[in-house]
Amino acid sequence: MFREAAFNDFQRDSTLDGTSAGFVMDEETFRAFYERSARGLWAYLARLTGDRQLAEDLLQETFYRFLRASAVYDNETHRRNSLYRIATNLARDVRRRNMARGFSVSAGDDIERVPSGQDAGTTERMTDFTLAMSRLKPRERAMLWLAYAEGASHQEIADVLGLRTASLKAMLFRARRKLAALLGRAPQGSKP
Amino acid sequence: MKPIECELESEVLAAVLQGLWPTGVDDSLRNHVAACGICADVAAIAGAIDNDREEMRARAAVPDSGRVWWLAQMRARREAAQAAGRPITVAQVIAFACAMGLLGACFGATSAWFQSSLRRTVSSLGALGSQALLPAVLAFAAGHGALLLGMATILLIIPAALYLTMLRE
């Protein structure tokens, strides 16, 4: 209630002064970009961290840093890659901090709190997938998600994860093998 | 060296993402996937990830864009105000230290009690001093007691005030 009231007050104030706290992006552009990318980014962060609440916190922090960066982007892909790079770095920092404190969250500890309306088949399928994902390294999860959920190119994935494109291909191949095996597909020869 | 890429990989991926795999594709592609480990992996995991993505997106609990914008603005303004306030704080510390030094110097220069007790202390110390340098230093201190007191005050107060400011921030 308080937040709602404060939000309405702010709306009035901002229409009066018309400022945007020094961000390069205006509110309308930001909101449109947010609507297009927030759900996908949340899913990425939730899979990467295994924690829904943490994913939401990181999502807000990511968008804040994205706005503060005040960079000018050539196109939507460039803008989206920048967003995912910030998110990946934040998730990595959180993981390192948690490891330094002596505790860690495996990817999936919190994800499987599914809504009650979810059917049993969906829940079971998600649990299997979550379990398989949780056995991958965070970087493997990130690259597989970017490649197959976000449809990013090798160059884009390398850019987001801070890797060389040449190394990425081999790493992606190994991660794919590992996940396929974890999902129960019998390993085959890799000869095309 | 084992191959890590297949030229038909992207075709398999496209078929999976368009929901055409496995029934909506040519027999030749199906046969290729059956024999190619790389494409079989792609077919196995791409569908699973895509399904998971759809389910995760449907369950995503993201805050309203207006709220995110509002919070970002509030935070940016707060940080900007803090950043702008920092030089003022340093200037305030220096001004405070100078004022204290000046106050100390005025006190030293105007207080007869302070002057006389300083001279008495200096003369008693001078009587004890055996080296030639010491009486000269003491004589200077006696003559410029107020100045020395002011400088000592500044030297003591500035680090203390800076430390307290840093601690507060």
Side-chain angles (χ1 to χ4, degrees), chain B residues 76-155:
Chain B
R77 285 178 182 173
R78 195 174 60 239
E79 286 178 4
Q82 279 173 352
R86 213 161 290 138
I88 294 171
T89 312
V90 173
Q92 281 171 339
V93 167
I94 293 168
F96 176 72
C98 290
M100 290 306 290
L102 196 65
L103 202 68
C106 287
F107 174 75
T110 54
S111 167
W113 163 81
F114 179 78
Q115 292 280 353
S116 62
S117 57
L118 188 71
R119 280 203 191 89
R120 202 168 43 246
T121 312
V122 167
S123 59
S124 58
L125 281 172
L128 290 172
S130 58
Q131 292 178 355
L133 187 64
L134 191 61
V137 171
L138 293 173
F140 177 80
H144 302 85
L147 178 71
L148 286 175
L149 184 73
M151 284 175 69
T153 311
I154 288 171
L155 287 173

Side-chain angles (χ1 to χ4, degrees), chain A residues 10 19 34 111 125-126 185, chain B residues 41 55 59 63 73 77:
Chain A
F10 174 75
T19 57
Y34 182 89
I111 295 293
R125 191 169 63 239
M126 285 191 72
R185 198 186 74 77
Chain B
D41 285 345
E55 281 156 11
R59 287 164 50 193
Q73 280 210 319
R77 285 178 182 173

Side-chain angles (χ1 to χ4, degrees), chain A residues 76-149:
Chain A
E76 179 76 6
T77 310
H78 188 201
R79 187 184 280 174
R80 198 194 62 166
N81 288 349
S82 174
L83 190 73
Y84 275 80
R85 193 182 315 119
I86 295 169
T88 306
N89 291 338
L90 282 173
R92 188 186 297 149
D93 291 347
V94 167
R95 193 173 60 248
R96 282 179 183 162
R97 264 202 306 275
N98 286 345
M99 282 169 72
R101 286 177 195 160
F103 61 89
S104 65
V105 176
S106 67
D109 283 359
D110 187 51
I111 295 293
E112 293 316 316
R113 280 188 224 147
V114 289
S116 53
Q118 200 83 268
D119 65 275
T122 304
T123 308
E124 192 183 340
R125 191 169 63 239
M126 285 191 72
T127 307
D128 289 347
F129 183 80
T130 303
L131 196 64
M133 284 292 267
S134 71
R135 290 184 181 165
L136 298 177
K137 290 176 186 163
R139 194 158 66 180
E140 292 173 330
R141 286 198 290 270
M143 67 174 75
L144 286 172
W145 193 268
L146 290 169
Y148 299 107

Side-chain angles (χ1 to χ4, degrees), chain B:
Chain B
M1 188 178 154
K2 282 182 178 178
I4 56 170
E5 282 183 296
C6 173
E7 56 184 9
L8 295 178
E9 199 180 315
S10 55
E11 241 177 89
V12 176
L13 179 61
V16 172
L17 296 182
Q18 286 164 22
L20 299 172
W21 180 262
T23 50
V25 297
D26 297 341
D27 284 344
S28 59
L29 190 62
R30 258 201 308 275
N31 292 337
H32 168 78
V33 172
C36 171
I38 293 170
C39 290
D41 285 345
V42 170
I45 69 153
I49 292 179
D50 192 47
N51 284 338
D52 188 61
R53 174 182 179 265
E54 290 307 315
E55 281 156 11
M56 292 284 281
R57 281 174 68 97
R59 287 164 50 193
V62 297
D64 176 66
S65 60
R67 186 167 165 251
V68 173
W69 174 260
W70 172 62
L71 289 173
Q73 280 210 319
M74 289 285 103
R75 190 171 153 190
R77 285 178 182 173
R78 195 174 60 239
E79 286 178 4
Q82 279 173 352
R86 213 161 290 138
I88 294 171
T89 312
V90 173
Q92 281 171 339
V93 167
I94 293 168
F96 176 72
C98 290
M100 290 306 290
L102 196 65
L103 202 68
C106 287
F107 174 75
T110 54
S111 167
W113 163 81
F114 179 78
Q115 292 280 353
S116 62
S117 57
L118 188 71
R119 280 203 191 89
R120 202 168 43 246
T121 312
V122 167
S123 59
S124 58
L125 281 172
L128 290 172
S130 58
Q131 292 178 355
L133 187 64
L134 191 61
V137 171
L138 293 173
F140 177 80
H144 302 85
L147 178 71
L148 286 175
L149 184 73
M151 284 175 69
T153 311
I154 288 171
L155 287 173
L156 281 172
I157 285 176
I158 285 181
L162 278 173
Y163 172 75
L164 288 173
T165 307
M166 298 292 182
L167 204 68
R168 197 180 60 194
E169 282 183 3

